[in-house]
Amino acid sequence: MSGTGDSILRVAEVERRFVPELGLGDRIAGWLGMGVDARPVRAVDGVTLEIARGETLGLVGESGCGKSTLGRLIAGILPPSAGEVLLDGQPVMRDGRKVTTRIQTVFQDPFASLDPRMKVGETVAEGPIAHGLTSRADAPAYVAQWFARVGLDPEWAGRYPHQFSGGQRQRIAIARALAMQPDLLVCDEPVASLDVSIQAQIINLFLELRRDLGLTMIFISHDLSVVRHLADRVAVMYLGRIVELGPTADLFAHPAHPYTAALLASVPKLVLQEGSLVEFSAIEGEVPSPLDPPPGCHFAPRCPRAAAACRAGRPPMRDLAPGRRVACLFPDLPPG
Amino acid sequence: MTPVLEVADLRTHFLTRAGVVKAVDGVSFALGRGEILGLVGESGSGKTVTGFSLIGLVDPPGRIVGGSIRLEGRELVGLSQPELRRIRGREIAMIFQDPIATLNPLLTIGQQMEMALRAHQRVSPRAAAARSAQLLEQVGIPSAAERLRAYPHQFSGGMRQRVAIAIALLHQPRVIIADEPTTALDVSIQAQILHRMRALARETGTAMVWISHDLAVVSSLASRLLVMYAGRLVEEGPTAEVLRHPRHPYTAGLIASLPAMAPPGAPLRQIPGSTPSLMSLPPGCPFRPRCARASAACAQMPPLARAGARAWACHRPEEA
Ligand SMILES: Nc1ncnc2c1ncn2[C@@H]1O[C@H](COP(=O)(O)OP(=O)(O)OP(=O)(O)O)[C@@H](O)[C@H]1O
Ligand SMILES: Nc1ncnc2c1ncn2[C@@H]1O[C@H](COP(=O)(O)OP(=O)(O)O)[C@@H](O)[C@H]1O
Ligand code: SF4
Ligand code: SF4
Ligand SMILES: [Mg+2]
Ligand SMILES: [Mg+2]
């Protein structure tokens, strides 16, 4: 799927600003008489996207670049400061409240996302009962069906979250989301806290669910190998903006944006030949503070190709090839 | 060549009210000068407790109940805390997963480095500052002399971890234990740090035990690999060789389950079940409930078998 098909979701010029809360460090700095910063952060800075029905869009980028914030904006958990998110043409939020059940989310931490005092079966039944997808009387059978779907023994519905392992808890969180019968699933680092062997089990579950239920998915991960495995298309974010968008295999093989290229190069690869010590190609410097993003292209201070024009204004997103979009003045052109 | 660090049958147990947790239960290895040894395993397999045991930082109810740790021939098991304090930081140092836990938020980076330096050395404040700045430069912190006056919260996670590494390097220890030092960091910062650490091991001859759950990281850094499962060493060998031809079924399963090992979108090989609780391990091979190769013989604990540079703890190892 290239994203040119039937579109289910449209993200139009979405922006989200935050005024940072003061953390412990800032408070200590305050006591010590240092200045404390309270400028707004533009966590998501003018993002436009379309997602095709049935496709999986991977969202990658380094910590703090705005992946989770964009995910929450799309899921209708967080209202945008500007722009809109439309599901089949309808806004997902109205007056700061989510107005659709067709988008559900799965988060990274299966420990934090389940109520420790509720039986897991009740946790899964809660939403569907509230929205009339099942009745209280039918709930146990309804829950059992979703438990079985995600590979959990339906007998376990009466247990509490602490009685499950991390991987099982993530299955429960997935069952809870699916029981709402969503069309779109936003997954924010759903395998990041799991061990490699358990991670493979959950990735396989996502593959299976996507095939059987025709789900559309947004899959947020900092692990590029996971995204490469699951996503049809990938969006790369840097400091609140999408800098590159394209079909997964293409984008991994021929990154067009210098940041995408640098990011891919810094991922350690499995070395199977002794003596072939890879040189780590590191991007110079660090991600600049989101409080004080550089003018023009945000990547300019670290970009080996930066020219004066790059600092003059935000590079517009443009089409490079069918399905491939990049926000860079001097991109690498894909062959052909 | 005599190894700088020699560990034999290390066993560290936690005597909790609920029972005995055998967090480390039979770990042996030798570490050569300037060598980087990778220690991998899933969460709870005993990697961190192994690291803490090596630098004498296991707190009650944990205790080293058996085995030996020799640092340049000198036995560390059984030393008193004051004796260990003289060694820790100077001859053997540790970098922790969470740099925030290592640094005091109320002191400047310079003050903390000076304190760490003075723990084992008499130095003037001026000399301390010069040495600290030099080390910060070495781990890639630009304008280091000025940054000495900064507080930890003014640094990003990656910068703080570099400071922690600089502190570990202060006394040019023989051995550094690095416990998942880049796990919480972004890949671009991780690449910078891996690059520096490898260069440092080469230049200074410092040996390292690099703890990680990321096989790709370890494969690009470590010449030898140790694999732990449920508190035990299950496989050892030259890294690339182990990754190409694992002998232990658990190692084989771990490698096969990596997304990079399957074509995009294809189902991944998975190890069934999950890691066992160390409190109620079944008798025999701890991997048995998840192992496709298990047979009746596996009801007996498999000993560590050695052949050349390779070792494995399995009754029915994968084909060589
Ligand atoms: N509630 C909030 N209040 C203030 N700032 C916020 C808030 N949520 C996010 N931010 C800021 O917005 C930016 C983007 O954060 P976000 O959590 O979306 O990043 P991310 O890409 O998901 O990062 P990670 O990979 O670490 O999860 C960061 O600078 C973050 O500090
Ligand atoms: N203070 C403690 N008390 C009891 N058990 C502990 C303590 N610290 C660690 N353990 C147990 O020791 C085992 C190994 O832990 P750890 O070394 O932290 O694993 P890893 O670093 O490989 O994830 C785990 O089962 C853990 O629960
Ligand atoms: S616009 Fe200029 S600075 Fe930005 S990524 Fe492209 S070449 Fe580099
Ligand atoms: S000893 Fe038996 S159960 Fe254990 S890993 Fe080997 S074959 Fe599997
Ligand atoms: Mg996030
Ligand atoms: Mg650990």
Side-chain angles (χ1 to χ4, degrees), chain A residues 268-283:
Chain A
K269 307 190 177 47
L270 206 60
V271 180
L272 297 173
Q273 285 307 322
E274 40 281 287
S276 66
L277 282 186
V278 281
E279 271 320 313
F280 302 104
S281 48
I283 316 176

Side-chain angles (χ1 to χ4, degrees), chain A residues 114 120 124 147 152 164 168-176:
Chain A
L114 298 173
V120 295
V124 172
F147 262 53
L152 288 169
F164 294 92
Q168 288 169 331
R169 271 184 267 224
Q170 199 54 292
R171 287 179 198 268
I172 295 164
I174 295 168
R176 176 178 57 182

Side-chain angles (χ1 to χ4, degrees), chain B residues 10 40 113-114 120 149 158 181 209 211 233 257 266 291 297 307 316:
Chain B
L10 179 67
V40 301
M113 293 190 75
E114 187 179 329
H120 299 293
R149 286 192 292 275
V209 177
I211 300 176
L233 193 65
S257 66
C291 184
R316 294 188 62 204

Side-chain angles (χ1 to χ4, degrees), chain B residues 248-249 285 287-288 291 293-295 298 302 314-316:
Chain B
H248 196 283
C285 174
F287 191 54
R288 184 161 55 122
C291 184
R293 295 175 70 83
S295 68
C298 306
C314 174
H315 292 298
R316 294 188 62 204

Side-chain angles (χ1 to χ4, degrees), chain A residues 18-21 41 43 62-70 72 189 290:
Chain A
F18 289 111
V19 178
E21 280 176 40
V41 177
E62 295 180 278
S63 186
C65 70
K67 305 180 295 296
S68 296
T69 305
L70 180 57
R72 287 158 71 207
E189 304 273 7

